[in-house]
Amino acid sequence: MARQERAEQTRQRIVEAAASEFAGHGYDGTSLHGIVRTAGVTMGALTFHFRSKSALADAVQESGAAATRAALDATAGAPGFQGALETVLALAGALRTTPSVRAAARLTREGHATGHGGWYDCWAPGLRDALERSWYEQRTDSGLTPLAVTTLLSHVVLGAEAAASTPEALRPVTGDAPDENLAQALKVLGTLLSRPADTETCGA
């Protein structure tokens, strides 16, 4: 195996270990020694690739952002409100299955964001734009506004982050099938959002 390939594999192993540590313990609760143990590398190998804990956190956020974009790209194509709701489900799934996504979200929430909005920049602007575009294209009469629904769905994503980080602690709230329950709830919400503005009510 070429030296450059070995070095890249070592770097990736360090980033993956750091993602797991940051996701579980946050920035302040994570130590370089803990990352070294989790990655199974030497401190020299870590400092060769990353000059500081901050630089490593930046790399983890970049990895989490890339994984988030990949998850969203995999769901791209659904029109209207359905596409926005599928975005939320994709984000929830990525948070549940991918440590780097959970780490990027937590680092952003703790104030260690790369860029202005950190991990939220990966999805929040696109979600807001999709909802606003769908609102005016489909002319709905749900009694809600695009901003209200964007806020609601953003809170859903933040709740999904909490559920992915501490699933056992939140099981009394989310139940034994949180993914299925969330999908069902969003399906009902989609029906409400898609109601045409000129729909007549019974007896009107």
Side-chain angles (χ1 to χ4, degrees):
M1 183 185 301
R3 180 180 300 178
Q4 184 176 356
E5 185 178 350
R6 285 199 302 270
E8 181 55 35
Q9 288 183 354
T10 298
R11 184 185 188 280
Q12 185 60 33
R13 194 157 69 247
I14 292 170
V15 171
E16 289 174 357
S20 179
E21 293 292 312
F22 284 131
H25 307 293
Y27 185 87
D28 292 335
T30 294
S31 70
L32 294 182
H33 289 288
I35 294 171
V36 164
R37 285 194 301 272
T38 301
V41 301
T42 65
M43 184 63 72
L46 186 151
T47 56
F48 173 79
H49 289 283
F50 302 100
R51 292 175 297 175
S52 65
K53 180 176 165 182
S54 176
L56 185 49
D58 289 347
V60 168
Q61 288 196 78
E62 291 171 7
S63 176
T68 301
R69 287 191 293 268
L72 296 181
D73 288 345
T75 65
F81 293 116
Q82 187 59 38
L85 299 180
E86 287 182 5
T87 292
V88 173
L89 285 175
L91 289 168
L95 284 162
R96 178 175 51 81
T97 61
T98 312
S100 65
V101 175
R102 290 196 301 278
R106 181 164 183 170
L107 289 167
T108 297
R109 177 165 43 83
E110 292 181 348
H112 298 281
T114 300
H116 177 69
W119 180 70
Y120 305 130
D121 281 344
C122 295
W123 58 269
L127 179 63
R128 181 180 62 247
D129 291 346
L131 284 168
E132 290 180 349
R133 185 168 57 252
S134 299
W135 214 271
Y136 296 114
E137 287 176 353
Q138 297 183 223
R139 297 176 56 81
T140 65
D141 185 28
S142 62
L144 299 169
T145 66
L147 179 58
V149 177
T150 300
T151 301
L152 171 63
L153 294 181
S154 296
H155 279 78
V156 169
V157 174
L158 298 178
E161 179 197 347
S165 299
T166 55
E168 293 305 319
L170 291 181
R171 192 173 300 279
V173 178
T174 60
D176 292 328
D179 293 343
E180 181 180 335
N181 294 336
L182 177 58
Q184 182 180 359
L186 289 177
K187 182 178 180 180
V188 174
L189 178 60
T191 301
L192 171 65
L193 293 177
S194 299
R195 189 173 65 187
D198 59 352
T199 297
E200 294 185 1
T201 58
C202 236

